[in-house]
Amino acid sequence: MAEPDEVTLGRVLLTEYEQLKAEQTGRIRLRDNLLYAMLAATAAVIASTMRAGDHAALLLLLPPITLLLGWTYLVNDEKISAIGRHVRTTLAPRLAEVLDVDEEILTWESAHRDDRRRGSRKALQLAVDLLAFAVSPLAALTAFWVNGHLTWPLLAVSGAETAAVGVLAWQIVVYADLGRG
């Protein structure tokens, strides 16, 4: 039996697990709050545009805000998934080996992925993510093109913003993790 202060591989692996779960929890909180921040930013830009009257160019503020919040959301979401994947594929098997057990351990990391409704939940989450971080800025850009004072500089900005939102939308789809494994 190990002494209380003795460093063992099992203790190191459990400490790693605890630290990873703490990081994952923090990232989940941040990621979820980014959706609320996106809603608030959208409301603020729309309200400012409506108050300003004939200043549809203010709508061009939404895509950069969306890109900043959306990219941060995406990066945190990917790291949350990466932590879960690391625990499932590396940490749990190593810990089971150290403990010399034949059964799977730290099973929550796999069990919640086997839910039969996971696919529909992930698809709906993808739709929400695209709505928040792609559709809303594209709607703002469309409203600008329909109602705005179209000058070449503003058209160039809106074109660059459209391309950037397209890249973010593509990345959101790529990292959607719609599979079961």
PDB file of all heavy atoms in Angstrom, residues 4-43:
ATOM      1  N   PRO A   4       0.778   7.900   2.356  1.00  0.00           N
ATOM      2  CA  PRO A   4      -0.069   9.046   1.992  1.00  0.00           C
ATOM      3  C   PRO A   4       0.633  10.088   1.125  1.00  0.00           C
ATOM      4  O   PRO A   4       0.007  10.690   0.261  1.00  0.00           O
ATOM      5  CB  PRO A   4      -0.478   9.635   3.344  1.00  0.00           C
ATOM      6  CG  PRO A   4      -0.354   8.509   4.306  1.00  0.00           C
ATOM      7  CD  PRO A   4       0.747   7.626   3.786  1.00  0.00           C
ATOM      8  N   ASP A   5       1.915  10.327   1.314  1.00  0.00           N
ATOM      9  CA  ASP A   5       2.639  11.334   0.553  1.00  0.00           C
ATOM     10  C   ASP A   5       3.385  10.759  -0.653  1.00  0.00           C
ATOM     11  O   ASP A   5       4.014  11.509  -1.396  1.00  0.00           O
ATOM     12  CB  ASP A   5       3.643  12.059   1.442  1.00  0.00           C
ATOM     13  CG  ASP A   5       2.950  12.906   2.501  1.00  0.00           C
ATOM     14  OD1 ASP A   5       1.760  13.239   2.294  1.00  0.00           O
ATOM     15  OD2 ASP A   5       3.589  13.237   3.516  1.00  0.00           O
ATOM     16  N   GLU A   6       3.309   9.458  -0.836  1.00  0.00           N
ATOM     17  CA  GLU A   6       4.043   8.810  -1.920  1.00  0.00           C
ATOM     18  C   GLU A   6       3.373   9.118  -3.265  1.00  0.00           C
ATOM     19  O   GLU A   6       2.161   9.068  -3.412  1.00  0.00           O
ATOM     20  CB  GLU A   6       4.072   7.296  -1.692  1.00  0.00           C
ATOM     21  CG  GLU A   6       4.925   6.557  -2.710  1.00  0.00           C
ATOM     22  CD  GLU A   6       4.931   5.056  -2.449  1.00  0.00           C
ATOM     23  OE1 GLU A   6       4.483   4.625  -1.367  1.00  0.00           O
ATOM     24  OE2 GLU A   6       5.380   4.333  -3.337  1.00  0.00           O
ATOM     25  N   VAL A   7       4.204   9.447  -4.225  1.00  0.00           N
ATOM     26  CA  VAL A   7       3.699   9.716  -5.572  1.00  0.00           C
ATOM     27  C   VAL A   7       3.679   8.397  -6.330  1.00  0.00           C
ATOM     28  O   VAL A   7       4.699   7.732  -6.486  1.00  0.00           O
ATOM     29  CB  VAL A   7       4.589  10.750  -6.307  1.00  0.00           C
ATOM     30  CG1 VAL A   7       4.108  10.932  -7.737  1.00  0.00           C
ATOM     31  CG2 VAL A   7       4.604  12.069  -5.566  1.00  0.00           C
ATOM     32  N   THR A   8       2.477   8.039  -6.781  1.00  0.00           N
ATOM     33  CA  THR A   8       2.333   6.819  -7.577  1.00  0.00           C
ATOM     34  C   THR A   8       1.723   7.194  -8.919  1.00  0.00           C
ATOM     35  O   THR A   8       1.115   8.279  -9.068  1.00  0.00           O
ATOM     36  CB  THR A   8       1.398   5.810  -6.883  1.00  0.00           C
ATOM     37  OG1 THR A   8       0.088   6.376  -6.803  1.00  0.00           O
ATOM     38  CG2 THR A   8       1.915   5.449  -5.482  1.00  0.00           C
ATOM     39  N   LEU A   9       1.873   6.317  -9.884  1.00  0.00           N
ATOM     40  CA  LEU A   9       1.300   6.569 -11.200  1.00  0.00           C
ATOM     41  C   LEU A   9      -0.225   6.706 -11.097  1.00  0.00           C
ATOM     42  O   LEU A   9      -0.822   7.576 -11.726  1.00  0.00           O
ATOM     43  CB  LEU A   9       1.673   5.445 -12.173  1.00  0.00           C
ATOM     44  CG  LEU A   9       1.143   5.599 -13.602  1.00  0.00           C
ATOM     45  CD1 LEU A   9       1.568   6.929 -14.220  1.00  0.00           C
ATOM     46  CD2 LEU A   9       1.597   4.442 -14.468  1.00  0.00           C
ATOM     47  N   GLY A  10      -0.847   5.895 -10.276  1.00  0.00           N
ATOM     48  CA  GLY A  10      -2.296   5.979 -10.090  1.00  0.00           C
ATOM     49  C   GLY A  10      -2.727   7.338  -9.564  1.00  0.00           C
ATOM     50  O   GLY A  10      -3.698   7.924 -10.052  1.00  0.00           O
ATOM     51  N   ARG A  11      -2.008   7.858  -8.586  1.00  0.00           N
ATOM     52  CA  ARG A  11      -2.325   9.183  -8.043  1.00  0.00           C
ATOM     53  C   ARG A  11      -2.099  10.278  -9.082  1.00  0.00           C
ATOM     54  O   ARG A  11      -2.870  11.229  -9.170  1.00  0.00           O
ATOM     55  CB  ARG A  11      -1.488   9.457  -6.804  1.00  0.00           C
ATOM     56  CG  ARG A  11      -1.983   8.709  -5.593  1.00  0.00           C
ATOM     57  CD  ARG A  11      -1.360   9.244  -4.326  1.00  0.00           C
ATOM     58  NE  ARG A  11      -1.907   8.513  -3.204  1.00  0.00           N
ATOM     59  CZ  ARG A  11      -1.191   7.988  -2.241  1.00  0.00           C
ATOM     60  NH1 ARG A  11       0.124   8.142  -2.234  1.00  0.00           N
ATOM     61  NH2 ARG A  11      -1.768   7.324  -1.261  1.00  0.00           N
ATOM     62  N   VAL A  12      -1.041  10.149  -9.836  1.00  0.00           N
ATOM     63  CA  VAL A  12      -0.763  11.129 -10.887  1.00  0.00           C
ATOM     64  C   VAL A  12      -1.904  11.126 -11.917  1.00  0.00           C
ATOM     65  O   VAL A  12      -2.399  12.183 -12.326  1.00  0.00           O
ATOM     66  CB  VAL A  12       0.601  10.858 -11.563  1.00  0.00           C
ATOM     67  CG1 VAL A  12       0.771  11.701 -12.819  1.00  0.00           C
ATOM     68  CG2 VAL A  12       1.735  11.113 -10.585  1.00  0.00           C
ATOM     69  N   LEU A  13      -2.327   9.937 -12.316  1.00  0.00           N
ATOM     70  CA  LEU A  13      -3.416   9.842 -13.302  1.00  0.00           C
ATOM     71  C   LEU A  13      -4.731  10.391 -12.738  1.00  0.00           C
ATOM     72  O   LEU A  13      -5.478  11.074 -13.452  1.00  0.00           O
ATOM     73  CB  LEU A  13      -3.587   8.397 -13.766  1.00  0.00           C
ATOM     74  CG  LEU A  13      -2.430   7.833 -14.593  1.00  0.00           C
ATOM     75  CD1 LEU A  13      -2.613   6.334 -14.822  1.00  0.00           C
ATOM     76  CD2 LEU A  13      -2.281   8.576 -15.910  1.00  0.00           C
ATOM     77  N   LEU A  14      -5.025  10.112 -11.486  1.00  0.00           N
ATOM     78  CA  LEU A  14      -6.237  10.662 -10.869  1.00  0.00           C
ATOM     79  C   LEU A  14      -6.161  12.180 -10.744  1.00  0.00           C
ATOM     80  O   LEU A  14      -7.159  12.878 -10.958  1.00  0.00           O
ATOM     81  CB  LEU A  14      -6.480  10.024  -9.498  1.00  0.00           C
ATOM     82  CG  LEU A  14      -7.037   8.614  -9.523  1.00  0.00           C
ATOM     83  CD1 LEU A  14      -7.107   8.032  -8.109  1.00  0.00           C
ATOM     84  CD2 LEU A  14      -8.416   8.580 -10.176  1.00  0.00           C
ATOM     85  N   THR A  15      -4.993  12.695 -10.427  1.00  0.00           N
ATOM     86  CA  THR A  15      -4.815  14.152 -10.363  1.00  0.00           C
ATOM     87  C   THR A  15      -5.013  14.764 -11.746  1.00  0.00           C
ATOM     88  O   THR A  15      -5.660  15.810 -11.883  1.00  0.00           O
ATOM     89  CB  THR A  15      -3.423  14.500  -9.795  1.00  0.00           C
ATOM     90  OG1 THR A  15      -3.307  13.933  -8.490  1.00  0.00           O
ATOM     91  CG2 THR A  15      -3.211  15.998  -9.731  1.00  0.00           C
ATOM     92  N   GLU A  16      -4.463  14.115 -12.759  1.00  0.00           N
ATOM     93  CA  GLU A  16      -4.661  14.603 -14.126  1.00  0.00           C
ATOM     94  C   GLU A  16      -6.147  14.618 -14.466  1.00  0.00           C
ATOM     95  O   GLU A  16      -6.663  15.587 -15.023  1.00  0.00           O
ATOM     96  CB  GLU A  16      -3.903  13.733 -15.128  1.00  0.00           C
ATOM     97  CG  GLU A  16      -4.102  14.181 -16.563  1.00  0.00           C
ATOM     98  CD  GLU A  16      -3.412  13.300 -17.601  1.00  0.00           C
ATOM     99  OE1 GLU A  16      -2.774  12.297 -17.226  1.00  0.00           O
ATOM    100  OE2 GLU A  16      -3.538  13.621 -18.797  1.00  0.00           O
ATOM    101  N   TYR A  17      -6.851  13.547 -14.101  1.00  0.00           N
ATOM    102  CA  TYR A  17      -8.292  13.465 -14.357  1.00  0.00           C
ATOM    103  C   TYR A  17      -9.032  14.613 -13.669  1.00  0.00           C
ATOM    104  O   TYR A  17      -9.857  15.303 -14.286  1.00  0.00           O
ATOM    105  CB  TYR A  17      -8.833  12.111 -13.878  1.00  0.00           C
ATOM    106  CG  TYR A  17     -10.323  11.984 -13.989  1.00  0.00           C
ATOM    107  CD1 TYR A  17     -10.932  11.843 -15.223  1.00  0.00           C
ATOM    108  CD2 TYR A  17     -11.121  12.013 -12.853  1.00  0.00           C
ATOM    109  CE1 TYR A  17     -12.318  11.734 -15.329  1.00  0.00           C
ATOM    110  CE2 TYR A  17     -12.497  11.902 -12.950  1.00  0.00           C
ATOM    111  CZ  TYR A  17     -13.095  11.764 -14.194  1.00  0.00           C
ATOM    112  OH  TYR A  17     -14.455  11.665 -14.299  1.00  0.00           O
ATOM    113  N   GLU A  18      -8.732  14.851 -12.408  1.00  0.00           N
ATOM    114  CA  GLU A  18      -9.392  15.923 -11.661  1.00  0.00           C
ATOM    115  C   GLU A  18      -9.119  17.289 -12.291  1.00  0.00           C
ATOM    116  O   GLU A  18     -10.026  18.114 -12.408  1.00  0.00           O
ATOM    117  CB  GLU A  18      -8.940  15.904 -10.202  1.00  0.00           C
ATOM    118  CG  GLU A  18      -9.449  14.705  -9.425  1.00  0.00           C
ATOM    119  CD  GLU A  18      -8.741  14.505  -8.084  1.00  0.00           C
ATOM    120  OE1 GLU A  18      -7.785  15.254  -7.769  1.00  0.00           O
ATOM    121  OE2 GLU A  18      -9.151  13.586  -7.354  1.00  0.00           O
ATOM    122  N   GLN A  19      -7.881  17.518 -12.702  1.00  0.00           N
ATOM    123  CA  GLN A  19      -7.531  18.794 -13.316  1.00  0.00           C
ATOM    124  C   GLN A  19      -8.221  18.961 -14.670  1.00  0.00           C
ATOM    125  O   GLN A  19      -8.697  20.056 -14.996  1.00  0.00           O
ATOM    126  CB  GLN A  19      -6.010  18.918 -13.468  1.00  0.00           C
ATOM    127  CG  GLN A  19      -5.276  19.022 -12.157  1.00  0.00           C
ATOM    128  CD  GLN A  19      -5.716  20.227 -11.340  1.00  0.00           C
ATOM    129  OE1 GLN A  19      -5.801  21.326 -11.852  1.00  0.00           O
ATOM    130  NE2 GLN A  19      -6.029  20.002 -10.084  1.00  0.00           N
ATOM    131  N   LEU A  20      -8.262  17.895 -15.446  1.00  0.00           N
ATOM    132  CA  LEU A  20      -8.940  17.962 -16.747  1.00  0.00           C
ATOM    133  C   LEU A  20     -10.431  18.230 -16.580  1.00  0.00           C
ATOM    134  O   LEU A  20     -11.019  19.017 -17.331  1.00  0.00           O
ATOM    135  CB  LEU A  20      -8.714  16.677 -17.536  1.00  0.00           C
ATOM    136  CG  LEU A  20      -7.331  16.501 -18.130  1.00  0.00           C
ATOM    137  CD1 LEU A  20      -7.156  15.091 -18.679  1.00  0.00           C
ATOM    138  CD2 LEU A  20      -7.068  17.537 -19.209  1.00  0.00           C
ATOM    139  N   LYS A  21     -11.057  17.578 -15.600  1.00  0.00           N
ATOM    140  CA  LYS A  21     -12.487  17.795 -15.371  1.00  0.00           C
ATOM    141  C   LYS A  21     -12.753  19.226 -14.898  1.00  0.00           C
ATOM    142  O   LYS A  21     -13.749  19.832 -15.285  1.00  0.00           O
ATOM    143  CB  LYS A  21     -13.044  16.772 -14.376  1.00  0.00           C
ATOM    144  CG  LYS A  21     -13.055  15.339 -14.886  1.00  0.00           C
ATOM    145  CD  LYS A  21     -13.719  15.193 -16.238  1.00  0.00           C
ATOM    146  CE  LYS A  21     -15.219  15.268 -16.167  1.00  0.00           C
ATOM    147  NZ  LYS A  21     -15.875  15.008 -17.476  1.00  0.00           N
ATOM    148  N   ALA A  22     -11.855  19.781 -14.085  1.00  0.00           N
ATOM    149  CA  ALA A  22     -12.022  21.170 -13.647  1.00  0.00           C
ATOM    150  C   ALA A  22     -11.895  22.121 -14.838  1.00  0.00           C
ATOM    151  O   ALA A  22     -12.680  23.064 -14.985  1.00  0.00           O
ATOM    152  CB  ALA A  22     -10.978  21.511 -12.577  1.00  0.00           C
ATOM    153  N   GLU A  23     -10.909  21.871 -15.712  1.00  0.00           N
ATOM    154  CA  GLU A  23     -10.762  22.700 -16.910  1.00  0.00           C
ATOM    155  C   GLU A  23     -11.993  22.560 -17.804  1.00  0.00           C
ATOM    156  O   GLU A  23     -12.512  23.544 -18.333  1.00  0.00           O
ATOM    157  CB  GLU A  23      -9.513  22.316 -17.692  1.00  0.00           C
ATOM    158  CG  GLU A  23      -9.366  23.138 -18.960  1.00  0.00           C
ATOM    159  CD  GLU A  23      -8.146  22.788 -19.797  1.00  0.00           C
ATOM    160  OE1 GLU A  23      -7.232  22.112 -19.298  1.00  0.00           O
ATOM    161  OE2 GLU A  23      -8.119  23.201 -20.969  1.00  0.00           O
ATOM    162  N   GLN A  24     -12.471  21.340 -17.972  1.00  0.00           N
ATOM    163  CA  GLN A  24     -13.636  21.095 -18.808  1.00  0.00           C
ATOM    164  C   GLN A  24     -14.857  21.841 -18.262  1.00  0.00           C
ATOM    165  O   GLN A  24     -15.600  22.464 -19.022  1.00  0.00           O
ATOM    166  CB  GLN A  24     -13.902  19.590 -18.896  1.00  0.00           C
ATOM    167  CG  GLN A  24     -14.924  19.190 -19.935  1.00  0.00           C
ATOM    168  CD  GLN A  24     -15.115  17.687 -19.972  1.00  0.00           C
ATOM    169  OE1 GLN A  24     -15.293  17.050 -18.934  1.00  0.00           O
ATOM    170  NE2 GLN A  24     -15.087  17.122 -21.176  1.00  0.00           N
ATOM    171  N   THR A  25     -15.056  21.793 -16.965  1.00  0.00           N
ATOM    172  CA  THR A  25     -16.190  22.478 -16.336  1.00  0.00           C
ATOM    173  C   THR A  25     -16.111  23.989 -16.574  1.00  0.00           C
ATOM    174  O   THR A  25     -17.107  24.628 -16.928  1.00  0.00           O
ATOM    175  CB  THR A  25     -16.233  22.174 -14.826  1.00  0.00           C
ATOM    176  OG1 THR A  25     -16.378  20.766 -14.657  1.00  0.00           O
ATOM    177  CG2 THR A  25     -17.378  22.896 -14.136  1.00  0.00           C
ATOM    178  N   GLY A  26     -14.935  24.553 -16.403  1.00  0.00           N
ATOM    179  CA  GLY A  26     -14.752  25.983 -16.650  1.00  0.00           C
ATOM    180  C   GLY A  26     -15.021  26.351 -18.097  1.00  0.00           C
ATOM    181  O   GLY A  26     -15.660  27.367 -18.395  1.00  0.00           O
ATOM    182  N   ARG A  27     -14.542  25.515 -18.999  1.00  0.00           N
ATOM    183  CA  ARG A  27     -14.766  25.783 -20.427  1.00  0.00           C
ATOM    184  C   ARG A  27     -16.246  25.645 -20.795  1.00  0.00           C
ATOM    185  O   ARG A  27     -16.741  26.373 -21.646  1.00  0.00           O
ATOM    186  CB  ARG A  27     -13.910  24.856 -21.280  1.00  0.00           C
ATOM    187  CG  ARG A  27     -12.435  25.240 -21.296  1.00  0.00           C
ATOM    188  CD  ARG A  27     -11.628  24.331 -22.213  1.00  0.00           C
ATOM    189  NE  ARG A  27     -10.251  24.692 -22.266  1.00  0.00           N
ATOM    190  CZ  ARG A  27      -9.728  25.628 -23.068  1.00  0.00           C
ATOM    191  NH1 ARG A  27     -10.502  26.306 -23.869  1.00  0.00           N
ATOM    192  NH2 ARG A  27      -8.430  25.867 -23.056  1.00  0.00           N
ATOM    193  N   ILE A  28     -16.942  24.703 -20.180  1.00  0.00           N
ATOM    194  CA  ILE A  28     -18.380  24.549 -20.442  1.00  0.00           C
ATOM    195  C   ILE A  28     -19.114  25.809 -20.007  1.00  0.00           C
ATOM    196  O   ILE A  28     -19.977  26.320 -20.740  1.00  0.00           O
ATOM    197  CB  ILE A  28     -18.933  23.289 -19.743  1.00  0.00           C
ATOM    198  CG1 ILE A  28     -18.433  22.030 -20.451  1.00  0.00           C
ATOM    199  CG2 ILE A  28     -20.467  23.320 -19.699  1.00  0.00           C
ATOM    200  CD1 ILE A  28     -18.694  20.736 -19.693  1.00  0.00           C
ATOM    201  N   ARG A  29     -18.803  26.323 -18.821  1.00  0.00           N
ATOM    202  CA  ARG A  29     -19.451  27.559 -18.342  1.00  0.00           C
ATOM    203  C   ARG A  29     -19.194  28.713 -19.307  1.00  0.00           C
ATOM    204  O   ARG A  29     -20.111  29.449 -19.658  1.00  0.00           O
ATOM    205  CB  ARG A  29     -18.939  27.912 -16.958  1.00  0.00           C
ATOM    206  CG  ARG A  29     -19.524  27.078 -15.870  1.00  0.00           C
ATOM    207  CD  ARG A  29     -19.173  27.638 -14.488  1.00  0.00           C
ATOM    208  NE  ARG A  29     -19.587  26.690 -13.483  1.00  0.00           N
ATOM    209  CZ  ARG A  29     -18.754  25.998 -12.719  1.00  0.00           C
ATOM    210  NH1 ARG A  29     -17.448  26.177 -12.805  1.00  0.00           N
ATOM    211  NH2 ARG A  29     -19.223  25.139 -11.844  1.00  0.00           N
ATOM    212  N   LEU A  30     -17.939  28.878 -19.710  1.00  0.00           N
ATOM    213  CA  LEU A  30     -17.594  29.956 -20.636  1.00  0.00           C
ATOM    214  C   LEU A  30     -18.323  29.786 -21.962  1.00  0.00           C
ATOM    215  O   LEU A  30     -18.930  30.729 -22.473  1.00  0.00           O
ATOM    216  CB  LEU A  30     -16.084  30.003 -20.866  1.00  0.00           C
ATOM    217  CG  LEU A  30     -15.612  31.012 -21.917  1.00  0.00           C
ATOM    218  CD1 LEU A  30     -15.989  32.426 -21.510  1.00  0.00           C
ATOM    219  CD2 LEU A  30     -14.116  30.881 -22.131  1.00  0.00           C
ATOM    220  N   ARG A  31     -18.274  28.586 -22.510  1.00  0.00           N
ATOM    221  CA  ARG A  31     -18.921  28.325 -23.802  1.00  0.00           C
ATOM    222  C   ARG A  31     -20.409  28.654 -23.744  1.00  0.00           C
ATOM    223  O   ARG A  31     -20.941  29.330 -24.617  1.00  0.00           O
ATOM    224  CB  ARG A  31     -18.731  26.869 -24.199  1.00  0.00           C
ATOM    225  CG  ARG A  31     -19.419  26.505 -25.512  1.00  0.00           C
ATOM    226  CD  ARG A  31     -19.639  25.035 -25.670  1.00  0.00           C
ATOM    227  NE  ARG A  31     -20.488  24.511 -24.599  1.00  0.00           N
ATOM    228  CZ  ARG A  31     -20.654  23.221 -24.350  1.00  0.00           C
ATOM    229  NH1 ARG A  31     -20.022  22.321 -25.068  1.00  0.00           N
ATOM    230  NH2 ARG A  31     -21.436  22.815 -23.378  1.00  0.00           N
ATOM    231  N   ASP A  32     -21.083  28.196 -22.697  1.00  0.00           N
ATOM    232  CA  ASP A  32     -22.518  28.430 -22.592  1.00  0.00           C
ATOM    233  C   ASP A  32     -22.835  29.915 -22.434  1.00  0.00           C
ATOM    234  O   ASP A  32     -23.817  30.408 -22.986  1.00  0.00           O
ATOM    235  CB  ASP A  32     -23.106  27.609 -21.449  1.00  0.00           C
ATOM    236  CG  ASP A  32     -23.053  26.115 -21.730  1.00  0.00           C
ATOM    237  OD1 ASP A  32     -22.729  25.711 -22.876  1.00  0.00           O
ATOM    238  OD2 ASP A  32     -23.320  25.334 -20.804  1.00  0.00           O
ATOM    239  N   ASN A  33     -22.003  30.643 -21.709  1.00  0.00           N
ATOM    240  CA  ASN A  33     -22.219  32.075 -21.545  1.00  0.00           C
ATOM    241  C   ASN A  33     -21.968  32.850 -22.834  1.00  0.00           C
ATOM    242  O   ASN A  33     -22.515  33.939 -23.014  1.00  0.00           O
ATOM    243  CB  ASN A  33     -21.363  32.624 -20.404  1.00  0.00           C
ATOM    244  CG  ASN A  33     -21.920  32.233 -19.054  1.00  0.00           C
ATOM    245  OD1 ASN A  33     -23.129  32.089 -18.886  1.00  0.00           O
ATOM    246  ND2 ASN A  33     -21.047  32.043 -18.083  1.00  0.00           N
ATOM    247  N   LEU A  34     -21.164  32.307 -23.732  1.00  0.00           N
ATOM    248  CA  LEU A  34     -20.917  32.980 -25.002  1.00  0.00           C
ATOM    249  C   LEU A  34     -22.183  33.059 -25.854  1.00  0.00           C
ATOM    250  O   LEU A  34     -22.362  34.022 -26.605  1.00  0.00           O
ATOM    251  CB  LEU A  34     -19.787  32.289 -25.770  1.00  0.00           C
ATOM    252  CG  LEU A  34     -18.399  32.536 -25.181  1.00  0.00           C
ATOM    253  CD1 LEU A  34     -17.382  31.582 -25.786  1.00  0.00           C
ATOM    254  CD2 LEU A  34     -17.970  33.983 -25.377  1.00  0.00           C
ATOM    255  N   LEU A  35     -23.067  32.079 -25.742  1.00  0.00           N
ATOM    256  CA  LEU A  35     -24.348  32.164 -26.460  1.00  0.00           C
ATOM    257  C   LEU A  35     -25.182  33.327 -25.930  1.00  0.00           C
ATOM    258  O   LEU A  35     -25.797  34.066 -26.705  1.00  0.00           O
ATOM    259  CB  LEU A  35     -25.128  30.849 -26.338  1.00  0.00           C
ATOM    260  CG  LEU A  35     -24.733  29.761 -27.322  1.00  0.00           C
ATOM    261  CD1 LEU A  35     -25.459  28.456 -27.004  1.00  0.00           C
ATOM    262  CD2 LEU A  35     -25.007  30.175 -28.748  1.00  0.00           C
ATOM    263  N   TYR A  36     -25.200  33.506 -24.608  1.00  0.00           N
ATOM    264  CA  TYR A  36     -25.929  34.634 -24.023  1.00  0.00           C
ATOM    265  C   TYR A  36     -25.299  35.957 -24.451  1.00  0.00           C
ATOM    266  O   TYR A  36     -26.003  36.925 -24.741  1.00  0.00           O
ATOM    267  CB  TYR A  36     -25.973  34.525 -22.501  1.00  0.00           C
ATOM    268  CG  TYR A  36     -26.645  33.278 -22.004  1.00  0.00           C
ATOM    269  CD1 TYR A  36     -25.999  32.434 -21.118  1.00  0.00           C
ATOM    270  CD2 TYR A  36     -27.929  32.922 -22.446  1.00  0.00           C
ATOM    271  CE1 TYR A  36     -26.613  31.276 -20.661  1.00  0.00           C
ATOM    272  CE2 TYR A  36     -28.548  31.769 -21.998  1.00  0.00           C
ATOM    273  CZ  TYR A  36     -27.888  30.951 -21.105  1.00  0.00           C
ATOM    274  OH  TYR A  36     -28.486  29.803 -20.661  1.00  0.00           O
ATOM    275  N   ALA A  37     -23.986  35.999 -24.485  1.00  0.00           N
ATOM    276  CA  ALA A  37     -23.292  37.208 -24.936  1.00  0.00           C
ATOM    277  C   ALA A  37     -23.636  37.515 -26.383  1.00  0.00           C
ATOM    278  O   ALA A  37     -23.821  38.681 -26.757  1.00  0.00           O
ATOM    279  CB  ALA A  37     -21.778  37.046 -24.763  1.00  0.00           C
ATOM    280  N   MET A  38     -23.750  36.477 -27.195  1.00  0.00           N
ATOM    281  CA  MET A  38     -24.111  36.669 -28.602  1.00  0.00           C
ATOM    282  C   MET A  38     -25.515  37.243 -28.728  1.00  0.00           C
ATOM    283  O   MET A  38     -25.758  38.154 -29.531  1.00  0.00           O
ATOM    284  CB  MET A  38     -23.988  35.327 -29.349  1.00  0.00           C
ATOM    285  CG  MET A  38     -24.238  35.421 -30.830  1.00  0.00           C
ATOM    286  SD  MET A  38     -23.094  36.549 -31.623  1.00  0.00           S
ATOM    287  CE  MET A  38     -24.152  37.142 -32.916  1.00  0.00           C
ATOM    288  N   LEU A  39     -26.448  36.716 -27.943  1.00  0.00           N
ATOM    289  CA  LEU A  39     -27.817  37.254 -27.963  1.00  0.00           C
ATOM    290  C   LEU A  39     -27.829  38.724 -27.541  1.00  0.00           C
ATOM    291  O   LEU A  39     -28.508  39.548 -28.161  1.00  0.00           O
ATOM    292  CB  LEU A  39     -28.719  36.430 -27.041  1.00  0.00           C
ATOM    293  CG  LEU A  39     -29.083  35.040 -27.528  1.00  0.00           C
ATOM    294  CD1 LEU A  39     -29.804  34.269 -26.422  1.00  0.00           C
ATOM    295  CD2 LEU A  39     -29.937  35.105 -28.777  1.00  0.00           C
ATOM    296  N   ALA A  40     -27.085  39.048 -26.503  1.00  0.00           N
ATOM    297  CA  ALA A  40     -27.030  40.432 -26.025  1.00  0.00           C
ATOM    298  C   ALA A  40     -26.400  41.346 -27.074  1.00  0.00           C
ATOM    299  O   ALA A  40     -26.886  42.464 -27.309  1.00  0.00           O
ATOM    300  CB  ALA A  40     -26.257  40.503 -24.712  1.00  0.00           C
ATOM    301  N   ALA A  41     -25.339  40.896 -27.707  1.00  0.00           N
ATOM    302  CA  ALA A  41     -24.677  41.698 -28.735  1.00  0.00           C
ATOM    303  C   ALA A  41     -25.602  41.927 -29.926  1.00  0.00           C
ATOM    304  O   ALA A  41     -25.669  43.038 -30.466  1.00  0.00           O
ATOM    305  CB  ALA A  41     -23.383  41.015 -29.187  1.00  0.00           C
ATOM    306  N   THR A  42     -26.310  40.892 -30.328  1.00  0.00           N
ATOM    307  CA  THR A  42     -27.246  41.022 -31.444  1.00  0.00           C
ATOM    308  C   THR A  42     -28.330  42.038 -31.098  1.00  0.00           C
ATOM    309  O   THR A  42     -28.648  42.929 -31.906  1.00  0.00           O
ATOM    310  CB  THR A  42     -27.880  39.659 -31.779  1.00  0.00           C
ATOM    311  OG1 THR A  42     -26.823  38.743 -32.128  1.00  0.00           O
ATOM    312  CG2 THR A  42     -28.854  39.753 -32.931  1.00  0.00           C
ATOM    313  N   ALA A  43     -28.891  41.917 -29.916  1.00  0.00           N
ATOM    314  CA  ALA A  43     -29.930  42.861 -29.494  1.00  0.00           C
ATOM    315  C   ALA A  43     -29.389  44.287 -29.440  1.00  0.00           C
ATOM    316  O   ALA A  43     -30.066  45.232 -29.861  1.00  0.00           O
ATOM    317  CB  ALA A  43     -30.484  42.445 -28.134  1.00  0.00           C
TER     318      ALA A  43
END
